[in-house]
């Protein structure tokens, strides 16, 4: 077994190598802001339709409301999720997952690994599944879900999803209490040792201020409505008989992020929340429907 | 006799579903076996994190041969009917015999091998299992709570062969994921199975897992001079989360002990499923915790303890953050937010509810000896903590946090206590508030709930009581009775709600061994004062246990029957009875007794001296008996006056209770009809 990772970046590389060996395509992050790795089209769209699909990727995840100006040791408005999607889920998926924990240096006879019920749902994309949060010594290190529905459509065959919260996992593996103290690279690097804070602290501070006070609510609202209008128009277009689902889905993601920003700005009343979420879900369902039609036609 | 062993081995089953799953498996198996004519000598099921297991002892290897009688169409019925019957039964007409004008078939059914029936049974159970939530996985269509991996099924040490959606039955299972060899093993009967599981670090029986946890916890505590804060609900849960439960004691940063102990315990319990510990004889918690791991770690659990301690620290840091934010915010901003919280679509926002509770608390306060201004202030603040960060995170701390924050802000002690205790009592074992301001707010809170949901016709039906209205009504009753309060309930609710209280009171009194019918007899007077009702019921109960009481009741029934019979013939005469002729001793006796009774009875009732009132009624017993035995009521000459006398007896007794509703000799009415008033049940 290769040596256990010693830094945030080598943790990612270890997971890449592991899942690559297990037959996943290793993707790069999607380039539209998303709140979770699940929203990458490589998950939300690819799990729909009959075709098999195995992929692993890192996805920067933006949660504007979680910004703490770099002052909270555990909470970030921008962080990384490691996402694995296996469709259909293999029978030994739990074993594969446990193998990945061993690969990053967790001894399964020393640590206490537990699968604790956690039924996942994401109402903005009309998705739900059954599974667990995986605990290591009482800390949730991953979410493990068997997708049952996405975009309101049945996921068949079923896709298994693994989501690792990378910072949290790294803090645990490296015994670090503050996320900004995480070793980002190899301490012996010719560049010199960098911490997570060296790389991201400024971003956290600036983005927190923008999320809570900077964004112009009127502009966000206007952009949200524009995106909402554009989705059906884009879905009405096609190229060589292929509906433009992927561009339309990007617009859904943009709308979703705009909603999150409005929410962080405190611009969404409690009573309006459900209606906004419903609007995004409807857009997402349209895309999911078209995607499935394309898959079945192909 | 052969033994059946069945194990359904899956990925991790949610802890909260395991207990019911074991029961369902047992019920379904018993039904299937009984339908096949099998009555196992013993049948037991088990549930754990990764397996449901059934063992049945004493099954035959085949069904007994059976004779079946099939009833066909009548003789002379249309041929279509005959054809249909033959097709369904798989018979030909020459196999039928005529019997009493009907075609009958007597079919010899060969008993089938038990293994065949078991194979069908397991498939039916697996496909029909009632998980609260189920899923499909991979490319299959089978539904289970989580992916089903293996089915072990042996009858008399032989595999019962079948396959369900590609899962082949066998005699192999797996033990602990990480401990021991972590390899599958063969089990051909229950003894081998249990021994194999033990050897592979799995405790099959949840009761044994619980014992193991408790013993482990106590051993750890003993060594550190600590005491476990027992928590049955948590024990049940953690026993469903580990196959080889191994308690590990960890240390908590003592600086967190300045948080309220409820917060620490809830954080430990909800997020981390830890047990709390304390120092014997000392208040509050000790700075340690016990987590129940699923493994005996190579290092004795050091890494596990340290890891969990770190997680707990970050959880408690969150809790402290909530506390700090909350004390920066305070009651007024929280109250403002209640405007945006819906209580119920038809009952408005939480802010509107608060207004109603304030008004109610103001009305109730003088009746319970509470300061009106304090009661209204406490009611105004009672729901504020619902929008605090801490209660947002831990909803079960509602009220408790409000109390802490009220004290933190230096609010009046009575107000703070009322904010804290106004949800009480939350169950039969929960304490009842006794401080007057707390009592006023606790009553206002529950009465608003009851009045509101009754007004929108959301009353409990059968086993459904989504808004816990029964608990609210019982809470009102306990607060009133335990504090000896005098509260005219009719002021607060309509007929249907009063009937609901009557019904709940019956349940309460029944739990204390009182008879339903006596409650009815007293409720029929239209009283809405629970304390008085109970005092009457108690006095009546005592009276009816005496000889006088029993006989007077019998007399009442006789008199009442005569009056009812006469009423059917026409209206009863009205007015006072006249003094009877002096030569009729029985008549004079009763007349005098009634006259002598009138004032002392009314005086006793006015003083609410119900035992005294009963003693007065006892004076009637002799005269009533003598009257009924010696006087012919329907004598044409004296009929009117005699009926007036009997009506006077009924009226006098009716001041105390409606004796017509009291069950006489024979089975008590309560056994036949739990709710003669037709109230909600």
């Amino acid at each position: 077994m290769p040596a256990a990772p010693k830094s945030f970046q080598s943790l990612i590389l270890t997971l890449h190598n592991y899942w690559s060996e297990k037959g996943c395509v290793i993707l790069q992050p999607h380039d539209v802001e998303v709140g979770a790795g699940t929203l990458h089209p490589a998950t939300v769209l690819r799990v729909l339709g009959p075709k098999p699909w195995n992929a692993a990727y890192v996805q920067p995840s933006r949660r504007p409301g979680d910004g703490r100006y770099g002052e909270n040791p555990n909470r970030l408005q921008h962080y990384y999720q490691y996402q694995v999607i296996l469709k259909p889920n293999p029978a030994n998926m739990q074993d594969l997952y446990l193998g990945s924990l061993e690969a990053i240096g967790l001894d399964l006879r020393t640590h206490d690994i537990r699968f604790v019920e956690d039924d996942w749902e994401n109402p903005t994309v009309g998705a739900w599944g059954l599974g667990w949060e995986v605990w290591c010594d009482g800390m949730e290190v991953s979410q493990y879900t068997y997708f049952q529905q996405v975009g309101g459509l049945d996921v068949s065959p079923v896709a298994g999803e693994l989501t690792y919260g990378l910072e949290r996992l790294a803090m645990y593996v490296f015994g670090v209490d503050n996320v900004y103290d995480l070793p980002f690279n190899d301490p012996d690097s010719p560049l010199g040792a960098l911490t997570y804070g060296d790389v991201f602290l400024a971003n956290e501070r600036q983005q927190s201020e923008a999320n809570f006070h900077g964004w112009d609510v009127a502009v966000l609202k206007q952009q949200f409505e524009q995106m909402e209008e554009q989705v059906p128009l884009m879905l009405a277009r096609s190229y060589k008989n292929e509906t433009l689902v992927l561009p339309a889905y990007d617009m859904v993601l943009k709308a979703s992020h705009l909603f999150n920003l409005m929410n962080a700005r405190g611009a969404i009343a409690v009573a309006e929340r459900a209606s906004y979420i419903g609007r995004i879900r409807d857009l997402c369902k349209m895309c999911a429907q078209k995607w499935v039609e394309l898959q079945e036609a192909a | 006799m052969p033994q059946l062993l069945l194990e359904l081995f899956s990925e991790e089953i949610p802890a909260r579903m395991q207990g019911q799953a074991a029961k369902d498996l047992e019920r379904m198996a018993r039904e299937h076996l009984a339908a096949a004519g099998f009555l196992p000598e013993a049948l037991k099921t088990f549930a754990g994190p990764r397996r449901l297991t059934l063992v049945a002892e004493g099954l035959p290897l085949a069904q007994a041969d059976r004779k079946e009688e099939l009833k066909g169409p009548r003789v002379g019925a249309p041929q279509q009917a005959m054809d249909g019957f033959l097709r369904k039964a798989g018979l030909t007409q020459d196999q039928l015999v005529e019997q009493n004008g009907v075609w009958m078939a007597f079919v010899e059914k060969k008993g089938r091998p038990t293994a065949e029936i078991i194979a069908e049974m397991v498939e039916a159970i697996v496909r029909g299992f009632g998980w609260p939530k189920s899923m499909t996985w991979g490319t299959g269509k089978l539904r289970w709570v989580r992916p089903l991996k293996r089915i072990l099924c042996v009858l008399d040490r032989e595999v019962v062969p079948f396959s369900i959606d590609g899962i082949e039955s066998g005699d192999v299972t797996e033990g602990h994921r990480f401990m021991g060899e972590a390899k599958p093993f063969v089990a051909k009967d229950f003894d081998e199975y249990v021994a194999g599981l033990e050897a592979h670090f799995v405790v099959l029986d949840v009761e044994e897992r619980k014992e193991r946890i408790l013993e482990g916890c106590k051993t750890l505590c003993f060594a550190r001079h600590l005491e476990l804060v027992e928590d049955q609900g948590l024990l049940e849960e953690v026993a469903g989360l580990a196959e080889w439960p191994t308690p590990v004691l960890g240390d908590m940063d003592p600086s967190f002990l300045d948080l309220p102990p409820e917060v620490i315990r809830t954080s430990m319990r909800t997020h981390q499923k830890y047990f709390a510990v304390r120092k014997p004889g000392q208040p509050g918690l000790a700075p340690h915790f016990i987590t129940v791991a699923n493994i005996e770690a190579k290092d004795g659990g050091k890494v596990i303890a340290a890891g969990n301690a770190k997680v707990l620290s970050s959880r408690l840091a969150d809790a402290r953050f909530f506390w700090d934010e909350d004390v920066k915010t305070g009651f007024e901003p929280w109250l403002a937010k209640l405007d945006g919280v819906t209580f119920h679509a038809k009952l408005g926002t939480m802010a509107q509810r608060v207004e109603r509770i304030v008004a109610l608390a103001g009305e109730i306060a003088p009746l319970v000896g509470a300061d009106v201004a304090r009661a209204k202030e406490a009611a105004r603040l009672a729901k504020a903590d619902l929008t605090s960060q801490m209660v947002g995170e831990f909803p079960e701390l509602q009220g408790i946090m409000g109390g802490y924050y009220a004290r933190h802000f230096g609010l009046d002690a009575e107000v703070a206590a009322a904010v804290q205790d106004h949800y009480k009592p939350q169950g039969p074992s929960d304490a009842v508030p006794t401080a007057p301001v707390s009592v006023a707010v606790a009553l206002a809170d529950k009465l608003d709930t009851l009045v509101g949901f009754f007004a929108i016709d959301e009353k409990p039906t059968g086993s459904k009581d989504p808004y816990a209205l029964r608990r609210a009504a019982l809470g009102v009753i306990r607060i009133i009775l335990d504090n000896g309060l005098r509260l005219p309930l009719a002021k607060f609710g309509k007929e249907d709600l009063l009937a609901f209280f009557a019904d709940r009171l019956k349940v309460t009194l029944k739990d204390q061994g009182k008879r339903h019918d006596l409650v009815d007899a007293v409720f029929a007077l239209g009283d809405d004062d629970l304390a008085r009702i109970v005092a009457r019921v108690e006095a009546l109960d005592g009276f009816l246990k005496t000889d006088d009481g029993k006989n007077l009741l019998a007399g009442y029934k006789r008199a009442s029957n005569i009056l009812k019979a006469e009423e059917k013939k026409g209206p009863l005469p009205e007015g006072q009875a006249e003094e009877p002729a002096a030569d009729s001793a029985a008549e004079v006796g009763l007349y005098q007794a009634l006259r002598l009774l009138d004032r002392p009875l009314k005086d006793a009732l006015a003083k609410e001296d119900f035992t005294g009132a009963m003693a007065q009624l006892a004076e009637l017993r002799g005269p009533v008996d003598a009257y009924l035995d010696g006087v012919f009521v329907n004598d044409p000459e004296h009929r009117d006056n005699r009926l007036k006398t009997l009506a006077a007896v009924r009226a006098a007794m009716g001041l105390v209770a409606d004796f017509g509703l009291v069950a006489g000799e024979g089975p008590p009415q309560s056994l036949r009809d739990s709710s003669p008033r037709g109230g909600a049940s």
Side-chain angles (χ1 to χ4, degrees):
Chain A
M1 201 194 288
K6 294 272 178 283
S7 66
F8 190 66
Q9 67 189 38
S10 62
L11 177 76
I12 292 173
L13 292 173
T14 306
L15 287 172
H16 272 342
N17 282 329
Y18 179 83
W19 286 109
S20 174
E21 278 168 24
K22 302 299 174 194
C24 288
V25 296
I26 303 299
L27 297 177
Q28 302 307 320
H30 193 49
D31 60 350
V32 176
E33 304 97 322
V34 293
T38 302
L39 297 177
H40 193 308
T43 295
V44 161
L45 295 179
R46 289 277 188 163
V47 297
L48 292 170
K51 292 180 192 161
W53 174 247
N54 293 326
Y57 55 90
V58 175
Q59 180 63 49
S61 304
R62 297 212 187 202
R63 304 270 170 98
D66 283 352
R68 292 291 183 273
Y69 295 83
E71 286 163 16
N72 183 302
N74 299 301
R75 216 177 270 273
L76 303 157
Q77 59 83 43
H78 172 284
Y79 68 103
Y80 288 99
Q81 287 187 341
Y82 196 91
Q83 173 88 359
V84 179
I85 197 84
L86 303 173
K87 169 192 164 190
N89 70 269
N92 64 341
M93 181 156 157
Q94 279 189 317
D95 295 331
L96 290 178
Y97 167 72
L98 293 169
S100 76
L101 295 185
E102 287 188 298
I104 58 174
L106 291 173
D107 177 351
L108 303 182
R109 298 203 176 203
T110 304
H111 293 280
D112 181 33
I113 306 291
R114 233 82 76 68
F115 291 85
V116 181
E117 178 190 15
D118 184 37
D119 298 341
W120 172 85
E121 68 173 345
N122 183 334
T124 46
V125 293
W128 69 277
L130 299 190
W132 310 274
E133 40 182 65
V134 184
W135 286 14
C136 174
D137 302 335
M139 189 180 67
E140 183 190 346
V141 289
S142 304
Q143 282 188 347
Y144 183 130
T145 307
Y146 293 104
F147 278 164
Q148 302 292 297
Q149 276 203 328
V150 169
L153 302 169
D154 285 347
V155 177
S156 175
V158 169
E161 182 205 52
L162 300 169
T163 303
Y164 308 70
L166 280 175
E167 284 82 354
R168 193 194 284 209
L169 185 60
M171 285 164 73
Y172 192 72
V173 173
F174 304 140
V176 170
D177 290 336
N178 187 325
V179 64
Y180 297 104
D181 296 337
L182 272 177
F184 200 92
N185 61 354
D186 185 336
D188 304 326
S189 156
L191 180 65
L194 289 177
T195 64
Y196 192 90
D198 292 331
V199 181
F200 281 116
L201 183 58
N203 188 56
E204 278 304 306
R205 294 154 65 105
Q206 293 180 24
Q207 299 281 6
S208 291
E209 178 62 11
N211 294 340
F212 291 124
H213 304 292
W215 288 93
D216 183 323
V217 172
V219 171
L220 293 173
K221 193 160 193 287
Q222 193 188 7
Q223 289 184 345
F224 179 89
E225 279 159 11
Q226 285 169 346
M227 283 303 147
E228 188 181 27
E229 271 171 33
Q230 291 291 311
V231 171
L233 298 178
M234 192 64 87
L235 285 174
R237 301 182 71 94
S238 60
Y239 173 70
K240 295 193 174 170
N241 287 330
E242 258 185 52
T243 308
L244 304 188
V245 179
L246 291 165
Y249 180 68
D250 281 351
M251 290 171 165
V252 178
L253 294 180
K254 284 181 203 284
S256 172
H257 181 58
L258 289 161
F259 163 75
N260 288 340
L261 285 172
M262 284 192 277
N263 205 19
R265 288 286 279 108
I268 303 208
V270 179
E272 286 178 308
R273 245 186 90 78
S275 133
Y276 269 103
I277 290 174
R279 284 156 74 180
I280 300 167
R281 181 171 54 236
D282 290 345
L283 297 174
C284 190
K285 278 186 180 174
M286 280 189 238
C287 293
Q289 192 69 49
K290 289 284 179 195
W291 171 269
V292 170
E293 284 169 22
L294 277 184
Q295 301 304 297
E296 283 168 356
Chain B
M1 288 271 265
Q3 176 200 64
L4 168 68
L5 173 64
L6 169 68
E7 182 202 58
L8 302 163
F9 179 83
S10 67
E11 296 181 1
E12 278 76 357
I13 303 168
R16 68 188 169 94
M17 299 179 189
Q18 291 169 18
Q20 188 58 44
K23 285 185 200 150
D24 287 349
L25 177 60
E26 174 172 347
R27 176 183 50 79
M28 290 171 92
R30 281 190 190 280
E31 282 169 12
H32 279 277
L33 292 173
F38 294 141
L39 206 66
E41 285 159 18
L43 189 153
K44 196 161 162 44
T45 58
F46 305 89
R50 292 204 289 165
R51 58 198 91 224
L52 294 184
T53 304
L54 175 146
V55 57
E57 303 282 354
L59 292 173
L61 284 176
Q63 280 177 312
D65 296 343
R66 290 183 295 179
K67 268 193 189 145
E68 264 185 31
E69 268 186 40
L70 297 172
K71 197 171 163 188
R74 276 178 298 106
V75 174
Q79 189 58 36
Q80 271 171 308
M82 176 58 81
D83 291 345
F85 170 71
L86 293 174
R87 200 166 45 245
K88 221 174 109 196
L91 298 169
T92 53
Q93 191 151 0
D94 56 355
Q95 290 173 279
L96 305 187
V97 286
E98 196 188 320
Q99 206 174 67
N100 300 329
V102 177
W103 289 107
M104 300 288 294
F106 298 93
V107 190
E108 286 264 328
K109 280 233 163 170
K110 198 85 187 112
R112 299 172 59 208
T114 305
E116 257 179 58
I117 291 164
I118 297 293
E120 290 168 7
M121 171 183 98
V122 175
E123 174 147 13
I125 288 176
V126 169
R127 293 194 188 279
F129 209 82
W131 293 108
K133 274 186 185 170
S134 64
M135 55 169 279
T136 60
W137 59 93
T139 52
K141 291 279 165 255
L142 189 64
R143 302 192 73 87
W144 199 244
V145 62
R146 292 293 184 275
L148 183 61
K149 314 289 281 186
R150 294 177 181 276
I151 300 175
L152 178 151
C153 188
V154 285
L155 176 67
D156 201 23
R157 301 185 57 82
E158 295 288 327
V159 173
V160 176
F162 58 87
S163 158
I164 302 176
D165 267 40
I167 305 170
E168 300 276 344
S169 61
D171 54 8
V172 174
T173 188
E174 292 173 40
H176 195 281
R177 266 188 195 285
F178 309 116
M179 294 182 69
E181 300 162 35
K183 275 192 201 140
F185 64 92
V186 171
K188 290 191 176 294
D189 64 30
F190 188 63
D191 288 343
E192 285 182 23
Y193 176 73
V194 174
L197 287 177
E198 280 268 4
H200 290 78
F201 301 93
V202 173
V203 182
L204 176 65
D205 189 340
V206 65
E207 294 307 322
E208 272 178 48
R209 291 199 297 273
K210 289 198 290 200
E211 271 170 37
R212 200 180 135 91
I213 293 167
L214 273 186
E215 272 173 29
C217 287
K218 285 176 181 163
T219 307
L220 290 170
C221 283
F222 183 76
R224 304 280 291 259
H225 305 290
L226 295 167
E227 190 176 85
L228 183 70
V229 179
E230 292 204 15
D231 184 332
Q232 194 57 35
L234 182 60
L235 179 62
E236 298 279 343
E237 187 179 2
V238 295
L241 280 171
E243 295 203 297
W244 193 251
T246 309
V248 173
L249 186 119
D251 300 328
M252 174 183 123
D253 177 348
S255 73
F256 287 114
L257 287 176
D258 58 1
L259 283 167
E262 290 93 336
V263 169
I264 296 174
R265 261 195 78 187
T266 309
S267 183
M268 280 186 179
R269 183 199 156 104
T270 321
H271 290 308
Q272 299 302 137
K273 308 182 200 306
Y274 297 159
F275 288 94
V277 292
R278 61 186 162 224
K279 297 219 168 78
Q282 285 183 30
L285 301 174
H288 308 280
F289 63 92
I290 295 178
T291 182
V292 179
N294 188 28
I295 191 165
E296 278 177 46
K298 287 192 299 195
D299 67 350
K302 284 197 195 76
V303 165
I304 293 174
N308 278 284
K310 194 177 268 193
V311 184
L312 180 61
S313 278
S314 95
R315 290 292 189 187
L316 292 177
D318 274 349
R320 175 171 287 153
F321 172 79
F322 298 141
W323 172 277
D324 290 345
E325 288 298 303
D326 283 346
V327 298
K328 273 189 241 162
T329 311
F331 281 86
E332 297 307 322
W334 292 334
L335 286 171
K337 279 201 208 162
L338 290 179
D339 240 343
V341 181
T342 307
F343 170 58
H344 181 281
K346 290 184 186 163
L347 295 173
T349 65
M350 206 44 117
Q352 290 169 320
R353 172 159 152 81
V354 167
E355 278 176 36
R356 296 194 300 264
I357 298 176
V358 170
L360 269 172
E363 274 183 70
I364 295 169
L367 302 172
V368 301
D371 179 77
V372 173
R374 285 199 179 104
K376 289 173 87 164
E377 178 64 359
R380 193 177 75 86
L381 302 176
K383 303 295 178 189
D385 68 355
L386 291 178
T387 58
S388 71
Q389 297 225 29
M390 191 74 87
V391 174
E393 183 74 5
F394 302 118
E396 61 269 54
L397 293 181
Q398 60 181 14
I400 294 171
M401 290 321 297
Y404 275 108
Y405 291 138
R407 284 187 292 275
H408 175 85
F409 291 119
L411 300 187
D412 180 88
E414 284 181 63
V415 170
V419 169
Q420 174 172 305
D421 292 337
H422 81 281
Y423 290 101
K424 291 184 172 198
Q426 300 218 54
S429 56
D430 197 14
V432 167
T434 52
V437 176
S438 303
V439 165
V441 184
L443 285 173
D445 177 45
K446 291 166 187 65
L447 285 171
D448 177 65
T449 304
L450 288 162
V451 170
F453 284 107
F454 268 68
I456 60 167
D457 207 25
E458 286 280 3
K459 301 168 195 170
T461 50
S463 63
K464 290 207 185 76
D465 183 11
Y467 303 106
L469 301 186
R470 291 195 182 107
R471 193 173 76 190
L474 211 54
V476 170
I477 291 170
R478 283 187 58 205
I479 293 172
I480 289 177
L481 296 183
D482 287 14
N483 288 297
L485 300 176
R486 311 308 302 268
L487 210 65
L489 280 175
K491 218 175 143 180
F492 305 100
K494 297 204 184 104
E495 178 80 1
D496 55 351
L497 182 56
L498 293 182
F500 186 64
F501 274 119
D503 220 69
R504 292 294 99 196
L505 181 62
K506 267 186 244 169
V507 175
T508 311
L509 293 177
K510 194 187 153 208
D511 289 347
Q512 298 169 9
K514 299 285 185 308
R515 288 158 50 177
H516 280 188
D517 57 327
L518 302 191
V519 184
D520 287 324
V522 170
F523 257 94
L525 302 180
D527 198 354
D528 63 345
D529 180 320
L530 298 183
R532 194 156 57 213
I533 290 169
V534 171
R536 264 185 211 264
V537 170
E538 280 170 357
L540 185 58
D541 193 28
F543 180 52
L544 290 174
K545 280 177 186 154
T546 66
D547 224 33
D548 282 347
K550 278 180 208 151
N551 280 295
L552 185 60
L553 175 64
Y556 176 93
K557 300 244 164 194
R558 281 171 72 188
S560 177
N561 286 341
I562 295 169
L563 287 169
K564 274 187 217 153
E566 293 307 309
E567 229 167 357
K568 282 186 193 145
K569 299 176 189 163
L572 293 177
E574 282 177 36
Q576 297 271 329
E578 284 161 27
E579 186 160 358
D583 61 341
S584 173
E587 281 188 89
V588 172
L590 182 56
Y591 180 82
Q592 295 292 356
L594 280 168
R595 255 187 44 184
L596 285 174
L597 171 74
D598 190 58
R599 181 135 300 277
L601 175 63
K602 285 180 179 158
D603 282 351
L605 289 174
K607 282 188 289 181
E608 302 192 354
D609 171 12
F610 299 111
T611 312
M614 301 294 165
Q616 292 298 328
L617 282 189
E619 300 291 327
L620 279 183
R621 180 218 162 162
V624 166
D625 282 352
Y627 191 92
L628 289 168
D629 291 342
V631 179
F632 175 52
V633 176
N634 264 333
D635 180 333
E637 200 181 326
H638 300 292
R639 178 177 179 270
D640 270 18
N641 207 45
R642 288 176 183 171
L643 287 177
K644 283 179 189 169
T645 306
L646 290 186
V649 171
R650 185 163 72 172
M653 291 179 71
L655 292 174
V656 175
D658 185 343
F659 283 83
L661 293 175
V662 177
E665 295 297 306
Q669 194 168 1
S670 57
L671 291 180
R672 284 181 279 124
D673 183 357
S674 65
S675 177
R677 280 166 57 92
S681 58

